[in-house]
């Protein structure tokens, strides 16, 4: 169980002795601390150190950086990647030079309005440079805090960030900068993503995940899967008896279900011609369009009616195909999108 009164002492005592040497830890200059925090986003400490030295030697003050050309600033960033960080930082520094007499604002609400300053940068710079009581919640802190509390909340959610910030608030009322850095350092050195060094951990006695044996399962981060859209052409093909050509799906998705012949748009004409062994052009306009939603996928289906009549002998030998009488639709297993087409055809036929 996490014991609030001794937890903070334990982690701070460990940090004081075990923290790594970093040049930005030897300064209280908010401008330098800000540079390091911007550089450290998405980049490892050992890569950042050289860049930090070169950058602060060339642009030792806010005034120096604010007066530099953007091209030169980007030159000093070359190799660090994510150049929008450098551009935004340069713009923010110019604003500090112009509007705040060249001094990094020590008011979080003012600071966060500067270009490129998100919740993490705000909390890091404000707490480390000015000791303001704001907790930093980065990937390391998400991991450490989830494990300490055996908390299975999804760390990809904004609501979890908010909840963690609230829970961490009491710990940053004093020594905010030290506490935040201690949490991040613990995540980097001991409570690592894989094979954390629990047996050497200074806060093991507070750690619920260690006690419950759930360390490897935390933190929880559920990736949002972006839905893919596939454009399909679906063909209504009739024979001389007024029956419709249907095909049994061989693909993994909806395997074994029946559909009107359907192909991805880019190859549909070629496949249709191969199927019918004739040179048929896909009509200019579909008769209608529909969507079929899967968990990770959407089909946008254009439904075309092929006017040419196809001989019923054409497919008798291939078990993958059938000629369907509309009255027999219930004997086949169709997905919802195909039922919409069948409903349409029934309606059209009833008009005749
Ligand atoms: Fe992380 Fe293990 Fe320490 Fe818990 S005991 S905080 S899981 S290193």
């Amino acid at each position: 169980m996490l014991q609030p009164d001794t937890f903070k002492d334990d982690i701070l005592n460990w940090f004081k002795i075990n923290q790594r040497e970093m040049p930005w830890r030897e300064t209280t200059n908010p401008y330098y601390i800000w540079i390091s925090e911007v550089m450290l986003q998405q980049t490892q400490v050992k890569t950042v150190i050289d860049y930090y030295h070169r950058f602060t030697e060339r642009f030792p003050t806010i005034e120096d950086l604010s007066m530099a050309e953007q091209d030169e600033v980007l030159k000093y960033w070359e190799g660090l990647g994510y150049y929008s960080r450098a551009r935004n930082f340069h713009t923010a520094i110019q604003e500090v030079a112009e509007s705040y007499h060249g001094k990094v604002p020590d008011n979080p609400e003012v600071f966060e309005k500067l270009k490129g300053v998100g919740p993490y940068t705000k909390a890091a710079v404000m707490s480390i440079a000015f000791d303001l009581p704001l907790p930093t919640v980065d990937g390391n802190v998400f991991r450490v805090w989830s494990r300490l509390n055996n908390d299975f909340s999804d760390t990809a959610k904004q609501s979890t960030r908010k909840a963690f910030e609230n829970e961490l608030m009491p710990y940053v009322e004093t020594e905010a900068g030290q506490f935040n850095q201690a949490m991040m350092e613990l995540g980097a050195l001991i409570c690592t993503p894989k094979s954390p060094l629990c047996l050497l951990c200074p806060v093991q006695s507070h750690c619920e995940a260690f006690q419950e044996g759930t360390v490897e399962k935390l933190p929880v981060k559920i990736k949002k899967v972006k839905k893919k859209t596939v454009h399909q052409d679906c063909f209504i093909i009739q024979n001389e008896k007024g029956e419709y050509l249907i095909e049994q799906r061989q693909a993994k998705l909806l395997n074994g279900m029946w559909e009107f012949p359907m192909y991805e748009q880019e190859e549909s004409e070629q496949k249709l011609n191969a199927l019918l062994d004739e040179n048929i052009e896909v009509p200019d306009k579909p008769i209608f369009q529909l969507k079929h939603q899967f968990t990770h996928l959407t089909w946008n289906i254009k439904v075309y009616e092929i006017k040419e009549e196809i001989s019923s002998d054409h497919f008798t030998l291939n078990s993958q195909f059938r000629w369907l009488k509309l009255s027999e639709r219930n004997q086949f297993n169709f997905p919802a999108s195909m039922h919409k087409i069948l409903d349409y055809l029934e309606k059209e036929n009833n008009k005749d």
Side-chain angles (χ1 to χ4, degrees), residues 221-238:
K221 188 171 185 180
I222 299 168
K223 277 198 184 129
K224 262 200 202 142
V225 181
K226 209 174 164 235
K227 256 198 187 184
K228 199 175 143 197
T229 300
V230 177
H231 298 280
Q232 306 264 34
D233 287 345
C234 181
F235 298 104
I236 297 173
I237 301 163
Q238 269 189 297

Side-chain angles (χ1 to χ4, degrees), residues 20 23 30 88 99 114 127 134 157 165 167 202 274 284:
R20 291 167 291 176
N88 289 342
S99 309
L114 295 168
S127 65
L134 293 170
K157 284 191 172 164
E165 281 172 356
E167 289 161 17
D284 285 344

Side-chain angles (χ1 to χ4, degrees), residues 57-115:
E57 270 161 33
R58 169 60 190 91
F59 310 112
T61 65
I62 286 181
E63 197 190 355
D64 293 317
L65 182 57
S66 70
M67 286 178 359
E69 294 292 330
Q70 193 184 81
D71 280 354
E72 195 192 0
V73 177
L74 292 179
K75 203 88 210 103
Y76 276 81
W77 207 270
E78 214 170 78
L80 271 178
Y82 301 96
Y83 293 94
S84 58
R85 288 182 298 175
R87 275 189 229 104
N88 289 342
F89 181 55
H90 187 213
T91 308
I93 287 295
Q94 286 173 329
E95 213 182 319
V96 170
E98 265 173 42
S99 309
Y100 303 103
H101 312 291
K103 282 204 162 121
V104 177
D106 59 2
N107 177 339
E109 281 158 26
V110 176
F111 184 66
E112 75 182 344
K113 292 210 174 80
L114 295 168
K115 188 102 177 158

Side-chain angles (χ1 to χ4, degrees), residues 23 34 58 71 80 94 109 123 147 151 165 170 173 184 194 227 241 255 269 280 282 285 315 335 352:
W34 190 3
R58 169 60 190 91
D71 280 354
L80 271 178
Q94 286 173 329
E109 281 158 26
R147 288 173 175 171
D151 187 336
E165 281 172 356
E173 279 168 10
M184 293 189 276
K194 286 193 187 126
K227 256 198 187 184
K241 298 181 209 163
N255 185 276
E269 191 156 284
I280 290 174
V282 174
K285 281 193 181 152
F315 300 101
D352 299 338

Side-chain angles (χ1 to χ4, degrees), residues 74-283:
L74 292 179
K75 203 88 210 103
Y76 276 81
W77 207 270
E78 214 170 78
L80 271 178
Y82 301 96
Y83 293 94
S84 58
R85 288 182 298 175
R87 275 189 229 104
N88 289 342
F89 181 55
H90 187 213
T91 308
I93 287 295
Q94 286 173 329
E95 213 182 319
V96 170
E98 265 173 42
S99 309
Y100 303 103
H101 312 291
K103 282 204 162 121
V104 177
D106 59 2
N107 177 339
E109 281 158 26
V110 176
F111 184 66
E112 75 182 344
K113 292 210 174 80
L114 295 168
K115 188 102 177 158
V117 175
Y120 169 78
T121 309
K122 176 180 78 169
V125 176
M126 294 292 104
S127 65
I128 298 169
F130 303 116
D131 221 12
L132 293 179
L134 293 170
T136 50
V137 181
D138 71 343
N140 283 319
V141 176
F142 268 128
R143 185 168 60 255
V144 172
W145 200 242
S146 296
R147 288 173 175 171
L148 280 167
N149 294 291
N150 201 27
D151 187 336
F152 282 73
S153 306
D154 178 6
T155 57
K157 284 191 172 164
Q158 266 309 316
S159 54
T160 307
R161 170 185 289 278
K162 270 266 139 268
F164 281 21
E165 281 172 356
N166 287 339
E167 289 161 17
L168 286 162
M169 269 320 261
Y171 298 95
V172 291
E173 279 168 10
T174 58
E175 295 181 281
Q178 287 289 295
F179 178 79
N180 284 335
Q181 292 185 83
M183 286 285 283
M184 293 189 276
E185 196 76 334
L186 188 79
L189 299 181
I190 302 282
C191 194
T192 47
K194 286 193 187 126
S195 316
L197 306 171
C198 297
L199 297 180
L200 302 176
C201 178
V203 290
Q204 186 208 86
S205 63
H206 302 274
C207 182
E208 280 187 45
F210 179 75
Q211 282 145 30
E212 298 293 328
T214 51
V215 172
E216 302 291 344
K217 295 189 178 126
L218 291 164
V220 173
K221 188 171 185 180
I222 299 168
K223 277 198 184 129
K224 262 200 202 142
V225 181
K226 209 174 164 235
K227 256 198 187 184
K228 199 175 143 197
T229 300
V230 177
H231 298 280
Q232 306 264 34
D233 287 345
C234 181
F235 298 104
I236 297 173
I237 301 163
Q238 269 189 297
N239 65 17
E240 73 283 1
K241 298 181 209 163
E243 296 163 334
Y244 295 96
L245 183 63
I246 55 170
E247 179 177 7
Q248 191 167 35
R249 284 184 66 80
Q250 308 298 305
K252 217 169 157 192
L253 193 62
L254 304 179
N255 185 276
M257 296 190 92
W258 291 83
E259 65 186 9
F260 294 92
M262 185 162 72
Y263 310 108
E264 288 192 21
Q265 214 166 61
E266 305 77 56
E267 51 182 16
S268 68
E269 191 156 284
Q270 185 198 348
K271 291 231 169 153
L272 179 71
N273 288 336
L275 170 73
L276 300 179
D277 205 12
E278 284 189 41
N279 213 2
I280 290 174
E281 272 185 29
V282 174

